Amino acid sequence: MPSHRSTTSPAPPPATVTTGYRALLRNKEFSGLYISFTLTVTASTLSGFALGTLVNHRTGSPFLTAVSMYGATFATVLGALTLMSVADGKRPRRTLLLLQLVSLVGVAAQAVPGLPLAARFALLLTLGFFQSLGTGTRLGLLAEVVPSSAYAPARSLMNITSGCTAIAGYAAGAVLLRHLSPYGVFVVAAALTALGAAVVAATVREHSIRLTRRPGLRRTWTANAELFAHPGRRTLLLNLWVPNGLIVGCEALFLSYDPGRAGTLLAAASAGMLLGDLTVGRLLTADRRRRLAFALRLLLATPFLLFAVHPPVPVVAVAVFLAGFGFAATLPLQEQLLEQTPEAVRGQVQGVESAGRMTWQGIGAAIAGGLAQYVAPGTAIAVVAGVSVAVTLLCRPSSRTGRGVVQG
């Protein structure tokens, strides 16, 4: 993969105004990506909740339950390391549609009764691999269909959507499981996945991402090596990945901590995330977002320390809601990463960032679930949250790291 010898120009001063959500939604292609994303996240939430419930009933293992809900994230790193350069291919719309269809097949296969757990976990990992490529492709298209100044509001709106659909998905999952088996919930998730693919086909046109060579393993490795070559970029990625992933590991223990109220706690976390993304992404300027990023990352983890003393459920729900607000720290970090990325590799770099974040969610779930095999779930949650706080304090970005440039 040849390097671009030209570098990105210095970033302009942070904008003092933000693009409105209505203006974004008037863009037909963005609306298509947005609606498809909504349907895909809803399907993923339903299928993850169904699989977690199925595994919990069969095994009673906190570790396996946590991994079943977030285990697909382990495979996303494989996509980032091998074929993520397809996100910057000449026909990203076609690529996204093909990857959506692969997801449809995988979710539909989970609906087969009697499928061994080993096969279900294999499907989970396979879906994670292809979903990571789909995320990179979708984000590459997003950078094409909206101007740079609208990128943060666009990501904010999609994050808000993720929070809303998680709330609706967990609530709907709980209701559906009263009337359907987990297999029936998988069928509903498959239908939503198919509808998401149809929306992309109807609304998004084909784009050229300025690729000069065919995507493949070598191109992916070269761009990844250049991405990690600068300490400033490494620090950004570390702060995007590790603290968030550990807190998702805490959330993965909600079913083990209180099976009857797990849906309430998950919904509270999603509601906090929604409010945080709305406030930080829509109401704050880029400069304010950056100045608050460190405090938001601390807010993400510190409320979970309360789990060590096992407070009443309403107190826990409020703490989880406040922690969810801290997830908005990803927005200013993602803005900085985009500024340092040439247009030719935007899809790949954003795909790597997303895949790494999702992989660390799987790692966090495994760490928290493994710890809960030996201590009470509440204690495990508090310990993992403490590690997240420590990582945030030790890895605070410094202006002395400078601004790096990822060459494509």
Side-chain angles (χ1 to χ4, degrees), residues 120-201:
R120 294 190 184 279
F121 279 108
L123 278 172
L124 195 66
L125 294 175
T126 302
L127 282 174
F129 175 82
F130 288 105
Q131 285 172 354
S132 71
L133 303 181
T135 298
T137 306
R138 189 186 306 274
L139 293 177
L141 279 167
L142 177 64
E144 290 281 306
V145 302
V146 301
S148 313
S149 60
Y151 177 78
R155 288 295 296 265
S156 169
L157 182 55
M158 295 180 85
N159 289 345
I160 290 170
T161 296
S162 180
C164 288
T165 53
I167 295 171
Y170 289 127
V175 172
L176 287 172
L177 285 171
R178 294 178 183 176
H179 305 282
L180 301 173
S181 68
Y183 311 111
V185 177
F186 283 128
V187 172
V188 174
L192 293 174
T193 303
L195 185 57
V199 169
V200 171

Side-chain angles (χ1 to χ4, degrees), residues 73-74 76-77 237-238 240-249 354-367 391:
T73 59
F74 285 119
T76 59
V77 71
L237 291 173
L238 186 64
L240 278 161
W241 292 348
V242 182
N244 290 23
L246 292 172
I247 296 308
V248 169
S354 177
R357 190 154 32 88
M358 293 180 68
T359 298
W360 263 99
Q361 290 174 8
I363 293 172
I367 291 172
V391 172

Side-chain angles (χ1 to χ4, degrees), residues 70-303:
Y70 298 99
T73 59
F74 285 119
T76 59
V77 71
L78 297 178
L81 292 175
T82 57
L83 295 177
M84 189 58 74
S85 57
V86 303
D88 295 308
K90 292 182 178 179
R91 306 190 68 179
R93 173 183 176 274
R94 182 180 65 178
T95 301
L96 182 58
L97 285 172
L98 290 174
L99 293 170
Q100 285 275 101
L101 293 176
V102 170
S103 294
L104 171 60
V105 172
V107 175
Q110 291 280 22
V112 177
L115 198 66
L117 284 183
R120 294 190 184 279
F121 279 108
L123 278 172
L124 195 66
L125 294 175
T126 302
L127 282 174
F129 175 82
F130 288 105
Q131 285 172 354
S132 71
L133 303 181
T135 298
T137 306
R138 189 186 306 274
L139 293 177
L141 279 167
L142 177 64
E144 290 281 306
V145 302
V146 301
S148 313
S149 60
Y151 177 78
R155 288 295 296 265
S156 169
L157 182 55
M158 295 180 85
N159 289 345
I160 290 170
T161 296
S162 180
C164 288
T165 53
I167 295 171
Y170 289 127
V175 172
L176 287 172
L177 285 171
R178 294 178 183 176
H179 305 282
L180 301 173
S181 68
Y183 311 111
V185 177
F186 283 128
V187 172
V188 174
L192 293 174
T193 303
L195 185 57
V199 169
V200 171
T203 60
V204 180
R205 64 185 176 85
E206 196 59 90
H207 284 258
S208 173
I209 310 295
R210 296 170 295 279
L211 187 67
T212 56
R213 285 190 180 180
R214 179 173 299 182
L217 188 62
R218 179 179 296 180
R219 186 177 183 88
T220 300
W221 284 359
T222 302
N224 286 348
E226 293 172 341
L227 171 62
F228 289 100
H230 192 276
R233 292 193 295 268
R234 291 198 300 269
T235 301
L236 279 174
L237 291 173
L238 186 64
N239 279 281
L240 278 161
W241 292 348
V242 182
N244 290 23
L246 292 172
I247 296 308
V248 169
C250 294
E251 295 175 352
L253 290 181
F254 286 168
L255 273 171
S256 301
Y257 179 79
D258 191 339
R261 295 178 175 86
T264 298
L265 296 181
L266 289 166
S270 299
M273 185 186 304
L274 184 157
L275 181 61
D277 280 310
L278 175 62
T279 303
V280 175
R282 178 66 184 92
L283 303 181
L284 300 184
T285 63
D287 182 59
R288 289 293 301 278
R289 282 195 290 269
R290 294 187 186 190
R291 283 190 276 129
L292 289 174
F294 179 69
L296 287 170
R297 290 200 300 281
L298 289 178
L299 179 62
L300 173 66
T302 50

